[in-house]
Amino acid sequence: MTDSDDGLDAHSLRVVKAIADSGSITAAARALGYSQPAVSQQLRRLERRAGMPIVERVGRGVRLTEAGHVLARHAAAVTTALDAAAGDLAELRGLRAGRVRIAAFPSASSTVVPRVIAAVTARRPGVSISFVEAEPPEAIVSVREDRADIALTYSYPGDRRELDLAATGLSVRTVGGDDTVLVLPVDHPAADGPIDLSRLAGERWIAGCPQCRGHLLEACARAGFVPDIAFETDNYIAVENLVAQGVGVAILPRMAVASFPLLTGIAAPPLPDAEARTLHVVTARGAENVPAVGVALEVIGEVLADYPLPSGRPTRRR
């Protein structure tokens, strides 16, 4: 590419990204609201500028070439920057519009997210806000692939490095904390006094999602034993019912326990601060400059003021 006429443009990147997301030119045209010939013409023009193929035929469909994948990887950052610019212009014109798409983990969907949606709607009635429930790995992918603007995620002690690797190239902000609790029958001997997990070495345990299961294994390892995981479920109500029936014990985040009334017959004493999980928001870099996203991030910070980091836990941002 030797001159400005041969440079890339945002429209071309949107076309490539739409093909990457949908898997075909026809579906990409439908998603963009264009005709199929218009998208094909745009692709041919882009390939002439790039001097290499962007798509290749596979049977009756197409797939991106290596060059196409390179362009698709950059598309989300470019479209985010354009949305930020458009949002700034809208602010100058006095408009109050825009959209924000949030992906958040399950225990936040019944505690934090409803408050965020209500506050954003009250503050900016013209903003369209949507939400999808997703565990941290999937939520981060949604931001990377421009299917979400904000991912509300968490990390347990020891797995922050995995979060940073998954969010490479994105912005990660630490926004709060959520302590974990031991869920066991109210008449269990370990329910009274300081929590000592080693007293539960002989119990059957209930594990949850992969991250929560990993935390359970690490917490028990620090207490000197390997837990006998007899049951696995992501359903917090099911966990509490299993505990209430006396068939197992579990570790749950405080948010999960707070999402519905604690069942009769069980106790939920807190584990030490060292076992708390840290809450983060992940966005594309510069996304806070998009007015709708910026106000949502502001509201999330206000709501999560009720979920402070454990004392001494550092706040990190990148």
Side-chain angles (χ1 to χ4, degrees):
M1 294 182 236
T2 58
D3 56 51
S4 59
D5 291 335
D6 293 331
L8 297 173
D9 60 83
H11 180 63
S12 298
L13 290 178
R14 291 186 190 275
V15 167
V16 174
K17 185 177 184 306
I19 293 172
D21 291 342
S22 63
S24 75
I25 293 176
T26 301
R30 188 182 307 116
L32 294 169
Y34 303 141
S35 67
Q36 181 176 338
V39 170
S40 297
Q41 183 180 14
Q42 182 70 29
L43 270 177
R44 289 193 295 271
R45 185 181 301 116
L46 177 59
E47 289 178 331
R48 286 197 301 270
R49 291 174 175 175
M52 62 187 75
I54 303 302
V55 299
E56 58 186 359
R57 293 284 176 183
V58 180
R60 296 186 177 182
V62 298
R63 67 183 178 193
L64 294 181
T65 62
E66 183 177 358
H69 283 295
V70 168
L71 295 179
R73 284 200 302 271
H74 289 282
V78 172
T79 55
T80 295
L82 288 173
D83 287 344
D88 286 345
L89 291 176
E91 289 288 296
L92 289 175
R93 291 196 301 266
L95 297 180
R96 294 294 182 268
R99 70 170 187 183
V100 58
R101 302 161 296 170
I102 298 175
F105 53 90
S107 55
S109 66
S110 55
T111 52
V112 172
V113 173
R115 294 172 60 189
V116 169
I117 293 174
V120 170
T121 301
R123 195 169 302 181
R124 297 287 292 271
V127 169
S128 171
I129 185 166
S130 62
F131 163 67
V132 63
E133 186 176 280
E135 292 288 356
E138 292 77 21
I140 293 171
V141 170
S142 293
V143 170
R144 188 179 300 283
E145 296 182 351
D146 195 28
R147 291 182 283 110
D149 302 298
I150 298 172
L152 181 56
T153 71
Y154 61 83
S155 62
Y156 282 105
D159 63 15
R160 171 62 195 247
R161 184 171 181 273
E162 284 74 12
L163 169 68
D164 287 339
L165 287 173
T168 298
L170 302 174
S171 174
V172 182
R173 301 171 182 83
T174 298
V175 290
D178 186 25
D179 62 344
T180 51
V181 301
L182 182 63
V183 185
L184 71 174
V186 70
D187 58 355
H188 194 289
D192 295 324
I195 296 300
D196 180 0
L197 287 183
S198 65
R199 297 174 63 189
L200 299 161
E203 298 287 344
R204 293 189 297 176
W205 287 82
I206 308 161
C209 72
Q211 274 186 271
C212 296
R213 180 191 176 98
H215 174 247
L216 170 63
L217 291 171
E218 291 181 3
C220 292
R222 286 190 284 272
F225 70 97
V226 176
D228 174 15
I229 297 177
F231 312 101
E232 297 186 45
T233 176
D234 291 335
N235 186 320
Y236 303 130
I237 299 177
V239 171
E240 288 199 13
N241 274 284
L242 287 167
V243 173
Q245 293 299 318
V247 298
V249 297
I251 291 175
L252 286 179
R254 175 67 71 185
M255 272 189 190
V257 174
S259 62
F260 52 87
L262 200 65
L263 296 182
T264 301
I266 65 175
L271 291 172
D273 284 351
E275 300 297 343
R277 62 181 181 176
T278 304
L279 307 179
H280 316 274
V281 288
V282 178
T283 66
R285 289 180 176 172
E288 68 276 7
N289 296 320
V290 179
V293 177
V295 73
L297 290 172
E298 180 181 306
V299 167
I300 288 172
E302 294 169 1
V303 171
L304 289 179
D306 292 340
Y307 298 86
L309 282 166
S311 57
R313 190 76 64 87
T315 300
R316 298 176 59 184
R317 174 177 175 172
R318 67 169 179 81

